[in-house]
Amino acid sequence: VRAMTANDSEDDSDASTSILDSTCATFGESCVLRGRGFFVAWHGVLTFAYAGWPRALDGLKDALESQQLAQRENPGSKWPKTSIGCLTSDRRLTKEELEALRGLCLQFDARARDVEVDVNRVKAVVFANRCCEERLTAKAIKLSHTDDAGSSAITQTRLQEVEDVLAETSADDYIDRVNAPGHRSDHYSTGSGVTLVIDVGSKISELVREFRESVDVILPGAYSWFATKSLHCT
């Protein structure tokens, strides 16, 4: 979501908020986000991936971009995921540890694919740290209700985007991506900005809790976990 600048007036902010509400109501429809699986992302961040953007949210993202209500999108939010935890400061993974995490992700694969997150609203959030645990403001915006199953359909293109990302994690040199500097706990505990999110913590909390506990058994103290209530899909 476009953040206000120092040159924006309060009237500008109100107008942007009104346009955002209208755009979400017009182009956004209630739908379902379907789970795909856990994986180890770049910098070792443990992540829950969804199968792909459903048609309803794909259309909303296009509308936000065309009306310049969103800043240029980072690569990480062009496909749907939820970051659940990061390596502690200066922690790196060995190849053996990465393989152990990959095996654990596969153990949870079937249950992850059963996840369905009902999406009937989004939130415009002003955050005071990158994991969104500290939120200065949060405005809920309802999406139009629909019983059309097509709103939750995922195109082959969107499905493939996610599969391509997951396939990359099997590369022999992926350990270099995992151990790249940055995005450790000190990164996520700082930073500020504005974003549009779907809160998912209450929907995936039990599965995430079990996954985290399993990680802590094989890699005690390696990961810093984000608060469940702050878990979101950008």
Side-chain angles (χ1 to χ4, degrees):
V1 176
R2 188 185 72 86
M4 282 189 68
T5 68
N7 294 322
D8 286 333
S9 67
E10 187 173 341
D11 288 342
D12 292 332
S13 176
D14 290 342
S16 295
T17 300
S18 177
I19 295 171
L20 179 61
D21 287 349
S22 175
T23 300
C24 289
T26 302
F27 296 96
E29 295 179 338
S30 58
C31 58
V32 174
L33 266 177
R34 293 187 170 84
R36 173 57 180 84
F38 292 101
F39 77 105
V40 185
W42 289 12
H43 308 282
V45 178
L46 285 175
T47 305
F48 184 80
Y50 302 91
W53 285 120
R55 179 179 61 79
L57 296 179
D58 216 10
L60 175 57
K61 285 162 65 69
D62 287 344
L64 291 171
E65 184 172 344
S66 66
Q67 297 191 38
Q68 297 184 332
L69 290 173
Q71 59 194 12
R72 178 170 293 184
E73 192 170 25
N74 292 323
S77 63
K78 290 186 176 181
W79 55 278
K81 71 180 190 307
T82 297
S83 299
I84 65 170
C86 63
L87 288 166
T88 55
S89 295
D90 300 323
R91 183 63 157 85
R92 294 165 62 88
L93 296 178
T94 65
K95 286 187 175 181
E96 292 74 20
E97 288 173 332
L98 177 58
E99 284 304 314
L101 286 174
R102 283 171 172 162
L104 188 60
C105 291
L106 287 175
Q107 290 178 34
F108 280 80
D109 192 65
R111 292 177 61 193
R113 290 174 185 265
D114 287 338
V115 167
E116 292 189 346
V117 177
D118 293 324
V119 181
N120 50 44
R121 66 177 181 174
V122 295
K123 285 184 181 178
V125 175
V126 179
F127 58 87
N129 60 5
R130 292 183 178 91
C131 60
C132 279
E133 289 178 344
E134 295 183 30
R135 302 182 179 191
L136 302 180
T137 64
K139 175 181 171 59
I141 304 170
K142 288 186 177 181
L143 304 179
S144 298
H145 175 74
T146 179
D147 294 319
D148 180 8
S151 67
S152 298
I154 308 171
T155 66
Q156 185 58 42
T157 298
R158 295 306 184 206
L159 288 168
Q160 193 60 50
E161 282 178 345
V162 175
E163 294 306 314
D164 288 346
V165 171
L166 298 182
E168 179 189 4
T169 67
S170 298
D172 291 339
D173 61 351
Y174 190 68
I175 188 69
D176 296 331
R177 296 287 194 185
V178 168
N179 284 329
H183 292 258
R184 301 311 198 258
S185 54
D186 52 349
H187 169 82
Y188 285 99
S189 63
T190 59
S192 61
V194 186
T195 188
L196 194 66
V197 306
I198 302 161
D199 278 330
V200 300
S202 62
K203 305 295 179 64
I204 64 173
S205 58
E206 184 60 24
L207 183 63
V208 168
R209 181 188 64 79
E210 292 184 31
F211 180 77
R212 287 170 167 173
E213 288 178 351
S214 298
V215 172
D216 284 338
V217 169
I218 63 174
L219 293 177
Y223 275 88
S224 175
W225 302 114
F226 303 145
T228 301
K229 66 178 181 180
S230 73
L231 297 181
H232 62 278
C233 177
T234 301

